[in-house]
Structures are given as C-alpha cells and as structure tokens.
Amino acid sequence: MVCGIARSWPTERVTLGALMQALGPRGYGVLIVLFALPNLLPVYIPGLSPIFGIPLMIICAQLAMGLPAPRLPRFLTARSMKRTDLLLIAEKATPWLRRVERWVRPRPSFVTSRVGERLIGAYGVWLSMIVIVPLPFTNGPPSLACLIMAIGLMEEDTLTILGGAAFGIVASFLGLSIIGTVFYALIAGFNWLFGLP
C-alpha cells in the first residue's frame, strides 16, 4: 500500500498529513506501524526522530484516551520527507511485515476490547517516550514492541499483542539501562570537570 503511494506520488516530498489522508480511515494500527517502522530499518535519514517519534506518542495517547479516530496537530502534519525515502522505508519493510502476518490470526479477548485497546495505547505512550530519547539502541526495541502490538490490534490477535507487550518490558529495561548509564557518565564527567566530589 505505502509502496504504491510512494511510487505514484506527484511531488518530490510527502507531508505526514497528505500521507495519512492517502492511507484513508485505516485506524490506529496502521499509523502506529507507519511511525514505528523507520526506527527499525538500517537506514539513516536525517531528522527521522522528530518526524516519526513524536507522532507515535501522540497516536498512542489518543488511543489511550479512547478517541474514535487518530488526529495529528497541523505543525506535525506539515512535516515532510523525501518521496524516495518513503519508498525506501516501505520496500525494506514489506517483506518483513509479510512474514510476520503469516503467524497472525484473529484471537479476540479482553485484550482486544475497547478497554484493552486503551491500555495498549497507554503502554505505547510509555514505549514511545523511550523511542524519542536520542541515544543509540534506545529507538529500535520499543518501536518493535509497538509495531507488534499494532499488528495484533489490527488483526484482533491476543497472542500477538501479549507478545509485543512482553517484548516491550525487555525494551524498557534495555532503554532505561542505556539512559541511566549515559546520565551517570554525564554526571561523573561534570563532577570531574569542575573538581566536585
């Protein structure tokens, strides 16, 4: 879907607002996947974190609040990226997503109910806060957890959602460990620089 949009896009840059409109009313799951994917690919695109990390958190927050449809503020929908970058992301992600979808099937439960969706959204907010931190290795794991849960959300697959949530615990531990280590190193360096005990 995104590959086709990127190939046929009439201009060299694609705004988030125009992309959301082109995807149509496909719900929260598609947008979470869309905003999580770039952090999983071995492709460096300048400005990737503010373009995709903050919208991921906003979409998850709206899901947690129970809004019927996701919306983004204008200052974010006006952000853009190159059409070629969007196509590169979509082409690299499509084979992997197809492999994952083979194992997903409808398995509804409380987790896939409206209350469950709101809990997933709240958990997604936590994970996306770690994604936004601009440190190595803090972006990928929580983004993958969000993506797995989003796929489960779209297919009403309880096991996939729970698998993503479990991986999110590991991702949170890894991310917080890295953030804590860097913070401790900065404090130690500051103390050494100014001769503080």
Side-chain angles (χ1 to χ4, degrees), residues 53-58 60-61 121 123-133 142-143 146:
I54 295 175
L56 176 63
M57 183 173 65
I58 293 174
C60 289
Y123 190 33
V125 171
W126 162 252
L127 292 172
S128 59
M129 289 172 65
I130 300 175
V131 171
I132 293 172
V133 176
S143 293
C146 287

Side-chain angles (χ1 to χ4, degrees), residues 23 32 35 46-47 51 53-54 67 74 79 86 91 105 118 147 156 169 172-173 190:
L23 287 170
I32 292 174
F35 294 133
I51 291 178
I54 295 175
L67 297 185
R74 183 174 297 179
R79 296 296 298 268
L86 177 62
E91 287 179 341
R105 65 176 185 272
R118 296 183 72 169
L147 183 144
E156 295 189 346
I169 295 174
S172 297
F173 179 78
F190 180 84

Side-chain angles (χ1 to χ4, degrees), residues 33-116:
V33 169
L34 176 66
F35 294 133
L37 268 178
N39 291 308
L40 302 175
L41 303 176
V43 179
Y44 175 71
I45 301 174
L48 197 68
S49 181
I51 291 178
F52 291 99
I54 295 175
L56 176 63
M57 183 173 65
I58 293 174
I59 294 298
C60 289
Q62 291 176 350
L63 178 61
M65 291 186 291
L67 297 185
R71 299 189 301 269
L72 287 177
R74 183 174 297 179
F75 79 92
L76 286 176
T77 57
R79 296 296 298 268
S80 66
M81 65 185 304
K82 293 180 180 179
R83 181 184 63 84
T84 52
D85 289 342
L86 177 62
L87 181 59
L88 181 63
I89 291 171
E91 287 179 341
K92 287 186 174 293
T94 297
W96 185 85
L97 286 175
R98 285 176 179 167
R99 286 195 294 269
V100 171
E101 289 171 350
R102 293 177 190 168
W103 305 97
V104 180
R105 65 176 185 272
R107 285 178 279 228
S109 71
F110 169 78
V111 177
T112 60
S113 67
R114 288 295 296 166
V115 175

Side-chain angles (χ1 to χ4, degrees), residues 21-34:
Q21 186 175 8
L23 287 170
R26 296 175 182 269
Y28 286 97
V30 170
L31 289 176
I32 292 174
V33 169
L34 176 66

